[in-house]
Amino acid sequence: VSYRFIELCCGSASMTLHLLGATSPLLPYQGSKWRFRAELTRLFERSGHVGPPDQVELYDPGPWGFAAPCVIAPDRRRLLIEHLEALAALDARTAYDALHKEPVPDEPALMAAQYLFLQRLSYSGKAVGILDGTWRSPGFNTSSAYGLAATERFGQVLPMVPSLIRTLRSYDRLILPTRLGGGREPAPPPDGPVPQPTVIYLDPPYAGVTAYPNGQLGRADVVQLALTWREAGAAVFVSEAEALPELVELGWAGELLTKGRGDTSRFRGKQEEWVTWALPR
Ligand SMILES: C[S@@+](CC[C@H](N)C(=O)[O-])C[C@H]1O[C@@H](n2cnc3c(N)ncnc32)[C@H](O)[C@@H]1O
């Protein structure tokens, strides 16, 4: 039986991409769950949701809300790649200066290309935002833009935008859902009982860590969303740096994830990583 998979705070949509068969993450992003994908998938499987979902919804009030669906839908991805290739043909600094603090375009694939360009060249995956309809990048990382020659201590670093384009091309092999929805909006509550098996993955901005530029979701709202989606009939999984006491008190399970061997991420957090979850009521 297939199922509907909803990422309420999708960011770079690591879990959706993984479930659809992606073998690389799109790019480094503050708070990405790519390195926890295997353990999270095992939890989804234990709850009876196995294999790729046949319906996907991705929500985020930041630029990912429009960029993530563009990355998955083949027609939009094709256009997005064309726009990114045009940006990659320019000098990276010139292209960056032409985008940062300039208006965000309306055309979704162009918007997504400009966003992914800026996001790929930001330091340590720090989030690019939109302010008053203009792009706000936290900075231009020269070594990601131009690459670095090998030294005695470090290997060569290749320019990152061409590698982003290769990753996007590799998504031609994704297992496509029959429906792809969501949007650039805050995590919505359910609009009624869920009609089919549904997995909610809620990966909010963590309490007390670097905020995101286009939205917030406080603990009380996270708990409320988790409870209402479960009440509506979904299996709900919430990531945080702790098991959420408000949910554990109500009988939800809390699991500590381990980082897995072979993890070479430079963006490894020092925090613990927990999932609080419950089967549908
Ligand atoms: C921890 S990150 C998600 C990372 C994602 N799982 C990944 O693998 O890339 C949290 C995301 O929540 C988004 N966010 C902030 N406020 C939100 C809200 N009210 N509703 C939904 N998402 C929100 C942020 O823009 C950010 O992209």
Side-chain angles (χ1 to χ4, degrees):
V1 184
S2 196
Y3 62 99
R4 178 173 166 218
F5 186 65
I6 306 181
E7 288 207 59
L8 290 179
C9 302
C10 72
S12 64
S14 309
M15 286 313 299
T16 295
L17 286 167
H18 171 63
L19 292 171
L20 298 178
T23 51
S24 338
L26 187 54
L27 41 68
Y29 180 59
Q30 166 187 349
S32 167
K33 291 304 170 297
W34 181 260
R35 67 202 156 97
F36 296 107
R37 63 195 181 283
E39 282 189 281
L40 283 164
T41 303
R42 268 195 290 281
L43 279 182
F44 301 159
E45 287 175 354
R46 263 167 53 196
S47 77
H49 303 89
V50 179
D54 72 343
Q55 298 190 33
V56 168
E57 280 166 55
L58 302 168
Y59 297 93
D60 199 300
W64 285 117
F66 56 71
C70 272
V71 163
I72 293 171
D75 47 343
R76 280 177 271 168
R77 186 173 61 244
R78 215 168 296 125
L79 276 174
L80 157 60
I81 291 174
E82 280 175 21
H83 289 307
L84 254 184
E85 282 174 329
L87 283 171
L90 304 172
D91 167 64
R93 180 78 220 194
T94 310
Y96 175 90
D97 289 336
L99 298 177
H100 175 53
K101 296 196 174 165
E102 293 299 321
V104 174
D106 289 332
E107 203 251 296
L110 181 58
M111 222 190 271
Q114 295 188 352
Y115 171 59
L116 293 183
F117 181 88
L118 292 173
Q119 188 62 67
R120 190 62 193 84
L121 298 189
S122 122
Y123 285 97
S124 304
K126 202 162 180 313
V128 171
I130 298 177
L131 184 69
D132 298 331
T134 61
W135 293 118
R136 290 304 150 113
S137 163
F140 178 80
N141 184 337
T142 312
S143 43
S144 299
Y146 295 109
L148 279 177
T151 64
E152 272 177 23
R153 290 178 54 214
F154 296 104
Q156 183 191 20
V157 176
L158 294 171
M160 291 301 168
V161 175
S163 106
L164 169 62
I165 293 173
R166 280 193 295 279
T167 300
L168 281 164
R169 287 195 194 292
S170 77
Y171 293 169
D172 284 347
R173 295 188 291 273
L174 294 183
I175 303 150
L176 289 180
T178 54
R179 184 171 172 274
L180 178 61
R184 198 181 152 218
E185 55 183 280
D191 52 15
V194 297
Q196 67 269 87
T198 299
V199 173
I200 294 294
Y201 180 48
L202 180 46
D203 182 23
Y206 286 13
V209 301
T210 320
Y212 292 85
N214 287 121
Q216 296 170 22
L217 198 62
R219 176 63 60 86
D221 292 326
V222 169
V223 168
Q224 191 57 30
L225 277 165
L227 291 173
T228 48
W229 275 102
R230 182 175 181 233
E231 196 65 39
V236 178
F237 299 80
V238 186
S239 280
E240 242 295 3
E242 60 172 349
L244 301 193
E246 300 90 332
L247 297 176
V248 172
E249 227 167 61
L250 298 172
W252 290 46
E255 304 246 353
L256 175 63
L257 303 185
T258 55
K259 294 187 169 63
R261 276 188 284 161
D263 172 20
T264 54
S265 166
R266 287 191 294 131
F267 303 99
R268 193 188 306 248
K270 286 163 219 73
Q271 283 179 328
E272 286 185 346
E273 189 63 42
W274 288 80
V275 180
T276 314
W277 65 283
L279 293 176
R281 267 174 65 87

